[in-house]
Amino acid sequence: MDIRPAATLVLTRDTAEGPEVLLLQRSWNAAFLPGYFVFPGGAVDEHEPGGRAHALGPDDAEISQIMSLDEGGADYMLAAVRECFEEAGILLAVDRRGRLIDADHPVHGDRQALFEGRLSLADLCRRHNLILPLDRLAYLSHWVTPPGPPRRFDTRFFVARAPEGQIASHDGVETIDHLWIRPTEALAQHREGHRLLGLPTLRTLRLLSDFDSTEALLRYAHAHPPEAHPNQPWPARKQGRPVLLEPGAPAYDEAVKLDPEGEGSTRAEILPGEPVAIAAGVLRLTAPNPGLMTGPGTNTYVLGHDRFTVLDPGPDDPTHVARILELTGGVIDQVLVTHTHRDHSPAAATLKARTGCRLFGWPAPPGSAQDTRFRPDDQPGHGDLIATEAGILKVLHTPGHASNHLCYLLLEQGLLFSGDHVMQGSTVVINPPDGDMKAYLDSLYDLLAEPLRTLAPAHGFLMAQPESVIDFLISHRLSREHKIARALAALSPAPLEAVTAQAYDDVPAAIHGLAARSALAHLLKLQADGRAREVDGLWQHLAPAGRP
């Protein structure tokens, strides 16, 4: 699939309560992010370079250098200006006397012609004798759509102060609503499930919320161009042969981290029983239990040099236990578990019997999937610190997938052992009553406040850019919640099965039984939020206070 170059313009305006940003709601018929609130933006047009003759400020070479491009940086800026005018009706342009245009300027009469492609941005500037002040834009961030969506974009985000005197208006075709809103308010509404926001929008709003004025934001953006992340194919090995990993491939982030020089020394596959050094003093050893729910197998992490800490020892498999003892020489001081599902903790009892180590974790809650043999010597609390030879681990209580789920953050390296709270390549199962969707989302939000650099999940490879990974998980869940809430509003009162059938019409009916467990988790969250209730087996829609 081709990845199209695209640009987005974040418009801000100052108020007594702080800066506001302009958001547009995409049409519900859109192929990409239907119903989501986004900043004005779109694909870079082939006619974009023609606008350079009408631009004021740095030239293409200077802009491209800032954006780590060989050329064409100015075209991204021009696309951002054009798309903002098409979608939001605001044109960042000045007349020949250097005055920003206002709402009465005749150029607004040609908005539709630009939208329909009958005029280019250069044509517009020639017709109305306008100049495009690119020096008023600041480069803010860079985002490449991960694999999966029907369309992928390589998007550059810019920020500019909204010109006074122009009035925003959505186009009525691609965008169906618009609003000015403070970033913190938009983030809060997203968290409450009232406004759909995508990953790059969330990340941008979070950045904007740190500033109390547009001037401070622009100064920051000019002084701190975004960090460039690798986005080219990376060499690795699979089944003994060299391969090139595309960005977004499961092993890509791990290959970049462990082989920064691109020598092709890392494996693009996870082999049970084969240790991999993933960080200083940290080995990953995968148990021989691959499957639908476990992926390539459960990852056990071994921390230390002479005396060892074992994290998530996995199933009580003799071969796996023997391999752990071989790697540690049997010198294990402590075993930590993220939770007590049967693919994570059963080997702990065996290791304790063989080595006398102490067990850390929380007891198993009720449920047939739980390892009721796990008996911890220590039950660490949220925020507690545990010393290992690889560094200090911070304990983070992260309920949702399981009520007793703990993550462990290796502070010095920013490495989060995320257990099943954040997994690679599959959606975490939230199965009531022990699974709790509200607790799961709250725990994900809590992780965003931690100094994370890399995720080490219980299943799969290392994952980079933790904030983006977590934002994706939150957005994915809230998008489904929004669909469930809409289905419930249309059907109320209705049984769980009817809500599931409508809200999961995009998945095969054969797995609606499994989907119903997830739908129930969402409905229970809506109930906790005061937006739904269940009476005699029927679910009813409740409108939040102040909303229809």
Side-chain angles (χ1 to χ4, degrees), residues 294-515:
T294 57
T298 302
N299 292 330
T300 294
Y301 294 97
V302 179
L303 289 70
H305 306 282
D306 300 309
R307 308 194 66 84
F308 296 91
T309 296
V310 174
L311 197 155
D312 268 357
D316 194 10
D317 178 88
T319 302
H320 186 58
V321 170
R323 196 76 174 101
I324 294 172
L325 292 170
E326 179 185 350
L327 289 172
T328 61
V331 185
I332 300 174
D333 289 334
Q334 52 200 7
V335 169
L336 283 56
V337 302
T338 58
H339 61 301
T340 50
H341 284 164
R342 293 181 181 275
D343 58 319
H344 288 261
S345 62
T350 301
L351 289 175
K352 180 177 177 61
R354 299 282 293 273
T355 68
C357 63
R358 294 186 66 80
L359 304 185
F360 288 71
W362 288 15
S368 60
Q370 299 290 340
D371 170 25
T372 56
R373 293 175 57 227
F374 181 72
R375 296 287 188 273
D377 299 301
D378 295 273
Q379 297 182 40
H382 181 77
D384 284 357
L385 303 178
I386 299 174
T388 79
E389 282 195 350
I392 300 296
L393 290 171
K394 180 180 179 181
V395 180
L396 302 171
H397 181 215
T398 49
H401 173 67
S403 59
N404 65 345
H405 196 288
L406 303 172
C407 291
Y408 299 91
L409 174 59
L410 190 58
L411 289 170
E412 185 176 352
Q413 301 191 48
L415 180 65
L416 183 74
F417 299 101
S418 62
D420 280 357
H421 195 62
V422 180
M423 297 167 58
Q424 185 186 61
S426 63
T427 301
V428 173
V429 173
I430 309 295
N431 188 19
D434 191 57
D436 186 317
M437 187 67 71
K438 183 173 178 60
Y440 178 65
L441 289 169
D442 287 344
S443 298
L444 287 174
Y445 279 111
D446 289 343
L447 285 183
L448 290 171
E450 299 294 336
L452 312 181
R453 294 200 293 272
T454 309
L455 300 175
H459 307 280
F461 296 91
L462 296 177
M463 294 182 284
Q465 302 184 57
E467 182 180 279
S468 295
V469 173
I470 293 168
D471 276 340
F472 171 78
L473 294 175
I474 292 171
S475 294
H476 173 73
R477 295 290 185 173
L478 290 180
S479 295
R480 183 64 69 181
E481 177 183 299
H482 190 78
K483 194 169 183 180
I484 288 171
R486 285 170 59 113
L488 183 60
L491 300 172
S492 178
L496 172 63
E497 294 76 14
V499 176
T500 302
Q502 183 158 321
Y504 286 83
D505 58 358
D506 55 339
V507 302
I511 63 172
H512 277 188
L514 181 62

Side-chain angles (χ1 to χ4, degrees), residues 54 94-97 105 123-131:
H54 306 275
V94 298
D95 60 23
R96 291 296 170 176
R97 297 174 63 182
H105 196 282
D123 294 334
L124 204 71
C125 290
R126 278 192 295 269
R127 173 177 289 188
H128 296 280
N129 208 20
L130 295 177
I131 299 171

Side-chain angles (χ1 to χ4, degrees), residues 187-221:
L187 290 168
Q189 291 180 4
H190 172 73
R191 182 165 184 167
E192 294 164 0
H194 298 313
R195 197 172 303 284
L196 292 172
L197 301 171
L199 274 67
T201 308
L202 285 168
R203 183 174 63 177
T204 304
L205 289 169
R206 201 172 289 121
L207 172 62
L208 298 180
S209 65
D210 289 336
F211 298 92
D212 57 10
S213 71
T214 297
E215 183 61 34
L217 170 60
L218 290 172
R219 283 200 305 268
Y220 170 86

